[in-house]
Structure formats: structure tokens, C-alpha cells
Amino acid sequence: TLTRIIATERGNPPKRRGRPENTFTFRFLSFSGLRLGEAQAAKWKDVAEGRLIVRGTKSESAHRHLPLSPALEELLEEIRNYRSVAKPNMSILIKRKIDKPLNAACDKLGIPRFRHHDLRHYFATKAIQSGIDIPTVAKWLGHSDGGVLAMKTYSHVTDEHGRDQVRKLR
């Protein structure tokens, strides 16, 4: 369902004020897996050498380096081009919350509403479905337990993935 919203948002040109920034925030959260507070704190100076420095505050492990996926790299470039200014101390995201437009998009598509934090789950699920190992995903999410929480939270994804992968077994 989130994939449908991303596709809808990407394919539609902005029609009213604020819409591109809503879309940027939505996609940034979806493509980074950051908590809302971490995303709000991200500055342009934190993007360097193919990674994003996440200045997390929840725990010691929340401070981390997130490698930029092609989708996140493309999005950051799109944001830079749209705004034409990206000074080092400027925040990457201008819109702080997107509850209302997110709810409106869900209602328009006839799908259940979800929260900002669900975009973090979307990122983790897509990463696991793409074959990225759980300890790596856990590290990207800022977990310090080596993947224990991620395994508990996303075991259903690995089960589904395993059923799909067994078909390749010869």
C-alpha cells in the first residue's frame, strides 16, 4: 500500500503550495527508515561520501551512518534541485509532519491510515525483502541488539521471503 502512495506522489506534479515538501518528507522517511525526530534533525552537512550521518538521540547506537540507497540519493538530488539552495546548516526537510496529507492520500486510495512510524517499518520490510540481512537492517535502524528486535518485529517478512526463495532451490 505504501508503494502505491509513493507511486501516486511521484507521478503527480505539485498542484498546490506545500505538496512537493509533503512528498519529499514522505519519501525521505520511506527511503531512510529514520524516526521522525531523526529526520527532522537531518541537515545537508550530514550528507557526505555516500552516506547520511544520523544524529540519533534515543540511544548510543541511534547515532549512526546510513549508506545512501539509489532511491535516497535520487531524492536528495531532487530536493536540492527543487529548492536551488542547500546550505550545510539547513534542514533537509522543511515539512515537519505530514499527518493530514498522509491521511488524505490514504483516504483517496481507499487504504487504512497509518503513522509516520509506519514509514520506518516500510523501509525495514523493503530492505529485508530485498535480501539485506537483519543485523544490517537493525544497524541502519539504530538498534543496538544486533537484530534481535528486528527479527521479532519482521519475522513474518523473512517467513514470506523464505517461501518465495525456496522456489529457486533445485
Side-chain angles (χ1 to χ4, degrees), residues 17-77:
R17 197 170 167 214
R19 179 152 182 197
E21 297 299 340
N22 292 336
T23 303
F24 293 154
T25 300
F26 176 86
R27 289 169 54 207
F28 187 80
L29 292 170
S30 299
F31 298 160
S32 68
L34 269 58
R35 295 175 181 95
L36 182 60
E38 294 170 339
Q40 292 170 341
K43 309 258 186 237
W44 286 107
K45 68 181 177 184
D46 298 328
V47 179
E49 300 172 12
R51 63 185 182 177
L52 173 66
I53 299 169
V54 181
R55 301 179 193 287
T57 57
K58 190 170 180 180
S59 67
E60 202 169 298
S61 63
H63 183 83
R64 61 201 182 274
H65 294 179
L66 177 70
L68 299 179
S69 67
L72 185 54
E73 249 181 330
E74 181 183 311
L75 173 62
L76 291 170
E77 188 61 29

Side-chain angles (χ1 to χ4, degrees), residues 77-93:
E77 188 61 29
E78 189 179 330
I79 294 170
R80 277 191 192 102
N81 290 338
Y82 178 79
R83 294 194 194 137
S84 71
V85 176
K87 294 181 181 175
N89 283 324
M90 289 177 71
S91 294
I92 294 172
L93 299 180

Side-chain angles (χ1 to χ4, degrees), residues 1-2 5 98-116 118-119:
T1 54
L2 289 175
I5 292 177
I98 55 168
D99 299 275
K100 288 179 183 177
L102 189 55
N103 288 337
C106 291
D107 293 347
K108 182 178 178 180
L109 292 170
I111 60 175
R113 291 181 173 186
F114 50 87
R115 309 159 294 139
H116 291 103
D118 293 322
L119 302 176

Side-chain angles (χ1 to χ4, degrees), residues 87-170:
K87 294 181 181 175
N89 283 324
M90 289 177 71
S91 294
I92 294 172
L93 299 180
I94 291 175
K95 287 294 273 192
R96 296 313 215 189
K97 288 188 173 190
I98 55 168
D99 299 275
K100 288 179 183 177
L102 189 55
N103 288 337
C106 291
D107 293 347
K108 182 178 178 180
L109 292 170
I111 60 175
R113 291 181 173 186
F114 50 87
R115 309 159 294 139
H116 291 103
H117 199 75
D118 293 322
L119 302 176
R120 179 173 167 83
H121 292 299
Y122 171 80
F123 169 81
T125 300
K126 289 307 256 184
I128 293 166
Q129 287 174 335
S130 298
I132 299 167
D133 62 90
I134 297 234
T136 299
V137 174
K139 185 177 178 183
W140 291 349
L141 294 173
H143 295 177
S144 61
D145 61 6
V148 174
L149 177 61
M151 193 60 188
K152 286 179 186 174
T153 306
Y154 302 105
S155 63
H156 68 285
V157 176
T158 57
D159 292 344
E160 291 169 16
H161 182 70
R163 284 191 300 274
D164 291 341
Q165 293 300 305
V166 77
R167 293 186 189 105
K168 296 178 181 178
L169 187 61
R170 301 275 177 217

